[in-house]
Amino acid sequence: MAKSKRKWPVILGVVFILGFIAAMAITSTGNAKFRCEVCKTFDGRTVCRTAAATTQEEAVRTATTSACSDLTSGMNNLEQCRNSEPKITWK
Protein backbone atom coordinates (compact mmCIF):
# COMPACT_ATOMS: atom_id res chain seq x y z
CA MET A 1 0.00 0.00 0.00
CA ALA A 2 2.91 2.35 0.64
CA LYS A 3 4.19 1.91 -2.93
CA SER A 4 0.77 2.82 -4.34
CA LYS A 5 0.78 6.14 -2.48
CA ARG A 6 4.24 7.00 -3.84
CA LYS A 7 3.23 6.37 -7.47
CA TRP A 8 0.58 9.10 -7.72
CA PRO A 9 2.87 12.11 -7.18
CA VAL A 10 5.27 10.70 -9.79
CA ILE A 11 2.47 10.05 -12.28
CA LEU A 12 1.01 13.53 -11.71
CA GLY A 13 4.46 15.07 -12.11
CA VAL A 14 5.06 13.30 -15.42
CA VAL A 15 1.61 14.30 -16.71
CA PHE A 16 2.25 17.93 -15.70
CA ILE A 17 5.64 18.01 -17.44
CA LEU A 18 4.25 16.46 -20.63
CA GLY A 19 1.34 18.91 -20.61
CA PHE A 20 3.72 21.84 -20.11
CA ILE A 21 5.94 20.72 -22.99
CA ALA A 22 2.92 20.28 -25.28
CA ALA A 23 1.59 23.74 -24.36
CA MET A 24 4.97 25.35 -25.04
CA ALA A 25 5.24 23.63 -28.43
CA ILE A 26 1.75 24.72 -29.48
CA THR A 27 2.10 28.33 -28.36
CA SER A 28 5.60 28.84 -29.71
CA THR A 29 4.81 27.62 -33.22
CA GLY A 30 1.10 28.40 -33.55
CA ASN A 31 1.37 32.19 -33.43
CA ALA A 32 4.42 32.62 -35.63
CA LYS A 33 3.40 34.19 -38.93
CA PHE A 34 6.87 35.18 -40.13
CA ARG A 35 9.89 32.88 -40.42
CA CYS A 36 13.30 34.03 -41.62
CA GLU A 37 16.93 33.06 -41.77
CA VAL A 38 19.42 35.79 -40.93
CA CYS A 39 23.09 35.46 -41.86
CA LYS A 40 25.55 37.77 -40.12
CA THR A 41 29.24 38.18 -40.92
CA PHE A 42 31.53 39.53 -38.22
CA ASP A 43 35.29 39.37 -37.84
CA GLY A 44 35.64 37.13 -40.90
CA ARG A 45 33.13 34.52 -39.76
CA THR A 46 29.54 34.00 -40.92
CA VAL A 47 26.71 32.43 -38.92
CA CYS A 48 23.10 31.90 -40.03
CA ARG A 49 20.17 31.45 -37.65
CA THR A 50 16.45 30.91 -38.20
CA ALA A 51 13.65 32.46 -36.15
CA ALA A 52 9.86 32.67 -36.27
CA ALA A 53 7.65 35.35 -34.72
CA THR A 54 4.37 37.20 -35.01
CA THR A 55 6.02 40.21 -36.70
CA GLN A 56 8.79 40.54 -39.29
CA GLU A 57 10.80 42.82 -37.03
CA GLU A 58 10.66 40.40 -34.12
CA ALA A 59 11.72 37.45 -36.30
CA VAL A 60 14.70 39.39 -37.70
CA ARG A 61 15.68 40.67 -34.24
CA THR A 62 15.54 37.17 -32.70
CA ALA A 63 17.57 35.55 -35.47
CA THR A 64 20.07 38.44 -35.45
CA THR A 65 20.58 38.21 -31.70
CA SER A 66 21.10 34.47 -31.90
CA ALA A 67 23.62 34.73 -34.75
CA CYS A 68 25.54 37.60 -33.16
CA SER A 69 25.68 35.82 -29.81
CA ASP A 70 27.49 32.94 -31.48
CA LEU A 71 29.87 35.24 -33.38
CA THR A 72 30.95 37.66 -30.67
CA SER A 73 32.10 38.00 -27.11
CA GLY A 74 31.53 41.17 -25.13
CA MET A 75 28.88 43.84 -25.41
CA ASN A 76 30.79 46.14 -27.77
CA ASN A 77 31.28 43.41 -30.38
CA LEU A 78 27.70 42.24 -29.92
CA GLU A 79 26.34 45.73 -30.63
CA GLN A 80 28.62 46.12 -33.68
CA CYS A 81 27.40 42.78 -35.02
CA ARG A 82 23.73 43.65 -34.42
CA ASN A 83 24.15 46.98 -36.21
CA SER A 84 25.81 45.46 -39.28
CA GLU A 85 23.72 44.70 -42.36
CA PRO A 86 22.20 41.19 -42.30
CA LYS A 87 21.37 38.89 -45.18
CA ILE A 88 17.71 37.92 -44.66
CA THR A 89 15.90 35.05 -46.36
CA TRP A 90 12.14 34.72 -45.70
CA LYS A 91 10.73 31.22 -45.45
Side-chain angles (χ1 to χ4, degrees):
M1 189 165 195
K3 284 187 177 184
S4 176
K5 288 184 180 181
R6 283 188 247 157
K7 284 184 182 179
W8 283 108
V10 173
I11 291 171
L12 290 174
V14 169
V15 168
F16 175 77
I17 290 170
L18 291 175
F20 180 77
I21 291 171
M24 291 300 292
I26 290 169
T27 59
S28 66
T29 58
N31 295 332
K33 295 177 183 174
F34 300 97
R35 181 179 173 89
C36 69
E37 179 182 63
V38 171
C39 295
K40 294 292 261 185
T41 301
F42 186 80
D43 200 24
R45 296 184 308 147
T46 301
V47 172
C48 298
R49 293 292 178 259
T50 302
T54 54
T55 66
Q56 287 182 329
E57 295 81 15
E58 187 180 350
V60 170
R61 183 176 47 249
T62 302
T64 297
T65 299
S66 179
C68 287
S69 294
D70 288 347
L71 283 172
T72 63
S73 61
M75 287 304 293
N76 290 337
N77 288 342
L78 181 62
E79 286 304 314
Q80 287 176 354
C81 178
R82 284 183 185 163
N83 292 330
S84 67
E85 193 64 34
K87 179 185 174 213
I88 303 170
T89 306
W90 293 99
K91 297 181 175 194

